[in-house]
Amino acid sequence: MTSNRWAISSGSKLEKLAGYSRAVVDGEWVFVSGTAGHNPDGTISPDPEEQTRQSLRTIGEALSKAAADLSDIVKLNVYVADRKDVMTVSKVLGEHFSDPRPTNTTIICGFPVEEIKVEIEATALCRTKSAR
């Protein structure tokens, strides 16, 4: 029996330490782990809008390794530290997604690191596209 399941790594040391993958591809499905807005150098902006944009860039990079992109996302779980930032985060998401937009569950929560304001988890369905 052959497996169509494989992992995508961002190269973060935390992936091995915490026992997770940036994303897992299983057939046509791509499951992207919760992604905070850390820059590639490990820094993070204090601005929730920029954190949201960086989270989406990181998610997009993971999806590209599976021949997918943001338009393939069907489900988002968005975690926000402060309810006052929900509209800011929502505005950025609205700029990145068009019809049919993914479903979205937004949750107000705490994070283990105070600097994190936003974390986004995504599920994508990547069917063969004629442009690919």
Side-chain angles (χ1 to χ4, degrees), residues 46-59:
D47 178 34
E49 180 177 343
E50 178 51 34
Q51 284 191 25
T52 304
R53 292 184 191 288
Q54 182 57 46
S55 292
L56 291 171
R57 283 190 288 270
T58 303
I59 290 167

Side-chain angles (χ1 to χ4, degrees), residues 18 21 26 35 45 48 54 56 59 70 85 121:
S21 297
D26 193 346
T35 304
S45 169
Q54 182 57 46
L56 291 171
I59 290 167
L70 294 178
D85 294 328
E121 176 184 15

Side-chain angles (χ1 to χ4, degrees), residues 40-100:
D41 65 3
T43 61
I44 191 165
S45 169
D47 178 34
E49 180 177 343
E50 178 51 34
Q51 284 191 25
T52 304
R53 292 184 191 288
Q54 182 57 46
S55 292
L56 291 171
R57 283 190 288 270
T58 303
I59 290 167
E61 290 168 11
L63 289 172
S64 72
K65 293 178 182 178
D69 57 42
L70 294 178
S71 70
D72 294 308
I73 294 174
V74 296
K75 170 76 173 127
L76 292 171
N77 287 330
V78 181
Y79 304 91
V80 182
D82 191 328
R83 73 180 67 253
K84 72 177 172 57
D85 294 328
V86 169
M87 290 310 295
T88 299
V89 171
S90 296
K91 182 187 105 186
V92 175
L93 295 174
E95 293 170 5
H96 283 80
F97 296 101
S98 57
D99 289 332

Side-chain angles (χ1 to χ4, degrees), residues 8-10 12 15 20-24 31-36 58-59 62:
I8 294 171
S9 175
S10 67
S12 167
E15 290 174 19
Y20 75 96
S21 297
R22 167 61 41 220
V24 171
F31 302 91
V32 183
S33 290
T35 304
T58 303
I59 290 167

Side-chain angles (χ1 to χ4, degrees), residues 79-82 107-114 116-119:
Y79 304 91
V80 182
D82 191 328
I107 301 161
I108 308 302
C109 67
F111 294 105
V113 179
E114 188 176 317
I116 297 174
K117 310 286 186 217
V118 179
E119 183 173 286

